[in-house]
């Protein structure tokens, strides 16, 4: 019988409890719940309902108020509903719809096969929900195809990257994997949780880990063998 993924709320409770005890600075940086009106406004801007796991997460914490507290592996910081809408507006300007329309289904086939796509960068149904200091984002796939609900990485120079690590299967899967990793002090891919002198959670990067996605070697080197992003 396949394992049942914990709900976003269950994972947040585990993460909060661990942070309160072990990394109180990061715990204090968690924003209060989002105003539902901000979520409605974000949905109006992006032109579609946000997937339920993202809404549930925003209603728990509307991002992280301290930019120095990343929370997610790879120095990614969850964004607020307003930040999500603002970053989506900037992100979608880069969408090359003409090329996507010309290549048709080949765009998705190539993305699944190689694990990366420059054409999909800026796609309006790939919605950013976390960012890292270098300008990269984590995206939640809102397209109606196979990858709906999956988490991707995006950088302007490399496009959209589809990690093969099981943690990227969905936002609930990612949050559960983070909760388990910090509770057990076990690596999440090639990232191991640690607490710095200022009592903030950060993630140490190890050169080893499970095999990652098939992608161009430069991108693979940046991600590390696990398919999870390197800290910057």
């Amino acid at each position: 019988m396949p394992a049942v993924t914990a709900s976003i709320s269950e994972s947040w409770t585990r993460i909060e409890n661990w942070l309160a005890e072990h990394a109180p600075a990061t715990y204090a940086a968690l924003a209060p719940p989002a105003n539902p009106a901000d979520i409605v406004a974000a949905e109006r801007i992006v032109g579609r309902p946000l997937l339920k796991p993202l809404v549930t997460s925003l209603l728990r914490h509307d991002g992280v108020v301290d930019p120095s507290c990343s929370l997610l592996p790879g120095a990614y910081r969850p964004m607020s509903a307003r930040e999500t809408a603002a970053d989506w507006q900037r992100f979608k300007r880069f969408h090359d719809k003409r090329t996507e329309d010309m290549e048709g289904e080949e765009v998705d086939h190539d993305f699944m096969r190689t694990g990366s796509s420059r054409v999909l960068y800026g796609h309006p149904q790939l919605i950013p929900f976390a960012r890292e200091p270098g300008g990269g984002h984590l995206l939640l796939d809102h397209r109606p195809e196979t990858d709906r609900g999956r988490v991707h990485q995006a950088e302007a120079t490399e496009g959209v990257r589809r990690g093969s690590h099981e943690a990227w299967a969905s936002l609930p899967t990612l949050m559960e994997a983070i909760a388990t990793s910090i509770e057990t002090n076990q690596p999440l891919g090639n990232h191991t949780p640690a607490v710095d002198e200022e009592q903030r959670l950060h993630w140490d990067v190890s050169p080893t880990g499970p095999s990652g996605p098939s992608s161009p070697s430069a991108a693979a080197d940046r991600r590390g063998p696990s398919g999870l992003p390197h800290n910057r």
Side-chain angles (χ1 to χ4, degrees):
M1 182 183 227
V4 177
T5 301
S7 70
I8 287 282
S9 295
E10 290 171 332
S11 295
W12 262 123
T13 297
R14 294 167 59 192
I15 291 169
E16 291 164 350
N17 290 341
W18 187 91
L19 291 175
E21 181 176 356
H22 300 283
T26 300
Y27 178 76
L30 298 176
N35 184 329
D38 287 341
I39 297 176
V40 171
E43 292 179 327
R44 183 171 60 250
I45 290 170
V46 304
R48 60 188 46 81
L50 298 176
L51 290 179
K52 184 176 180 180
L54 179 54
V55 172
T56 301
S57 186
L58 289 168
L59 289 174
R60 188 69 173 247
H61 294 290
D62 194 23
V64 174
V65 296
D66 183 352
S68 66
C69 293
S70 57
L71 187 65
L72 309 180
Y76 287 98
R77 174 181 64 85
M79 299 190 301
S80 68
R82 290 185 178 185
E83 289 174 320
T84 290
D87 280 25
W88 176 86
Q89 288 179 306
R90 288 188 289 268
F91 180 69
K92 74 180 180 66
R93 295 173 188 165
F94 296 95
H95 184 216
D96 187 356
K97 188 175 188 303
R98 180 178 178 182
T99 299
E100 183 184 16
D101 289 345
M102 287 176 59
E103 296 186 8
E105 295 181 356
E106 290 302 315
V107 173
D108 288 331
H109 292 162
D110 288 345
F111 185 50
M112 298 289 286
R113 179 176 57 84
T114 67
S116 66
S117 173
R118 292 181 182 273
V119 177
L120 288 177
Y121 189 80
H123 193 292
Q125 291 179 299
L126 301 179
I127 298 180
F129 70 92
R131 70 159 72 115
E132 52 91 19
H137 288 90
L138 293 183
L139 312 173
L140 192 61
D141 199 330
H142 283 64
R143 298 176 301 161
E145 292 88 4
T146 304
D147 271 351
R148 184 173 178 82
R150 190 175 182 87
V151 177
H152 305 305
Q153 300 164 255
E155 290 186 358
T157 56
E158 297 175 9
V160 179
R161 302 197 302 270
R162 184 185 190 274
S164 67
H165 191 284
E166 60 185 11
W168 299 119
S170 68
L171 186 54
T173 303
L174 177 61
M175 296 300 288
E176 182 179 27
I178 290 170
T180 298
S181 180
I182 60 178
E183 287 173 343
T184 62
N185 198 36
Q186 294 299 308
L188 174 50
N190 64 339
H191 286 72
T192 302
V195 177
D196 65 19
E197 294 180 353
E198 297 180 357
Q199 297 184 310
R200 296 178 302 191
L201 171 67
H202 70 95
W203 297 82
D204 290 333
V205 181
S206 126
T208 61
S211 59
S214 172
S215 59
S217 58
D221 289 343
R222 289 172 63 85
R223 282 196 304 273
S226 71
L228 290 169
H230 281 294
N231 279 327
R232 294 177 180 272

